[in-house]
Amino acid sequence: MESHLKLIFSPEEIHLAVNGLASEIRRDYAGKVPLLIGVLKGSFIFLADLIRTLKMPLEVDFIRTVSYGSGDVSSGDVKITKDIDADIENRDVLVVEDIVDTGLTLDGIFRHLQAKNPASLKVCALVDKRARRELPVKIDYSGFRVKEGFLAGYGLDYNEKYRYLPGLYIVK
Ligand code: PRP
């Protein structure tokens, strides 16, 4: 492993966290067919593991945003570059994020989806990272809470690298 990567959550710990989230979601959406919306690209591995663990009737869609800014500093301007395909009016929608950092992305997505009149709109994030939070977004289901640090692995990238790693790492 590259020396500037420090493991913070092993594949086994992630597996346990996904199991816990799936239990909560399965209980809360019993009898419903939720639409899970993955936020590209970072959430693709988490979403894939989550839906296979859920083992319940559901549908999947994707949304993609870019936030403008330099480096890892967001400017607060969130733009949707790929919208969902589904009609979500009166649907039970669950947004699936890999990580919530400043909250700007999630806030933008939430407002965009809320305007389409879903029956319910909730958020599941694998990692809730709070040190740089700028907007008070509500996360209904979160796997890990971390204070700070740049995370990579399990779908998350550092300059497009490391998405393939099965664990979650801090980039030093
Ligand atoms: C990451 C992550 C969230 C967003 C969170 O995406 O997947 O969508 O940043 O940051 P925020 O709370 O500060 O808005 P990123 O822009 O790195 O794109 P990617 O998922 O394609 O890697």
Side-chain angles (χ1 to χ4, degrees):
M1 188 50 58
E2 302 187 38
S3 59
H4 60 287
L5 295 179
K6 179 172 167 264
L7 184 71
I8 53 163
F9 299 116
S10 68
E12 292 74 23
E13 289 172 299
I14 295 171
H15 180 71
L16 285 175
V18 171
N19 277 347
L21 291 169
S23 300
E24 287 184 58
I25 294 166
R26 201 183 302 113
R27 179 197 64 208
D28 293 352
Y29 290 88
K32 297 178 175 166
V33 182
L35 175 69
L36 274 61
I37 299 182
V39 183
L40 294 170
K41 298 184 232 177
S43 72
F44 76 109
I45 292 178
F46 175 44
L47 179 68
D49 280 350
L50 183 65
I51 64 171
R52 284 178 292 185
T53 309
L54 277 168
K55 292 191 181 76
M56 66 181 283
L58 55 82
E59 293 175 19
V60 172
D61 206 338
F62 292 96
I63 195 166
R64 174 142 175 77
T65 63
V66 289
S67 60
Y68 293 107
S70 59
D72 65 350
V73 179
S74 171
S75 67
D77 185 9
V78 173
K79 184 184 169 203
I80 290 158
T81 54
K82 185 241 170 282
D83 202 353
I84 53 169
D85 298 317
D87 177 4
I88 62 168
E89 187 165 2
N90 294 322
R91 296 293 309 271
D92 292 298
V93 173
L94 181 62
V95 176
V96 179
E97 261 287 24
D98 48 319
I99 185 165
V100 179
D101 187 358
T102 63
L104 293 167
T105 302
L106 186 56
D107 180 71
I109 289 172
F110 200 91
R111 284 187 287 110
H112 174 73
L113 296 177
Q114 192 73 67
K116 296 173 186 275
N117 297 318
S120 66
L121 181 56
K122 295 214 256 182
V123 175
C124 174
L126 180 64
V127 181
D128 178 2
K129 181 178 136 186
R130 298 187 166 178
R132 302 197 307 168
R133 191 65 45 85
E134 290 178 31
L135 293 172
V137 290
K138 183 164 179 281
I139 303 174
D140 301 277
Y141 309 95
S142 69
F144 300 112
R145 290 190 180 89
V146 302
K147 195 157 169 281
E148 58 202 352
F150 197 96
L151 270 57
Y154 196 68
L156 287 73
D157 75 307
Y158 176 69
N159 292 338
E160 291 304 322
K161 295 191 290 185
Y162 309 132
R163 291 193 198 273
Y164 62 92
L165 294 172
L168 266 168
Y169 294 80
I170 295 243
V171 183
K172 291 187 276 184

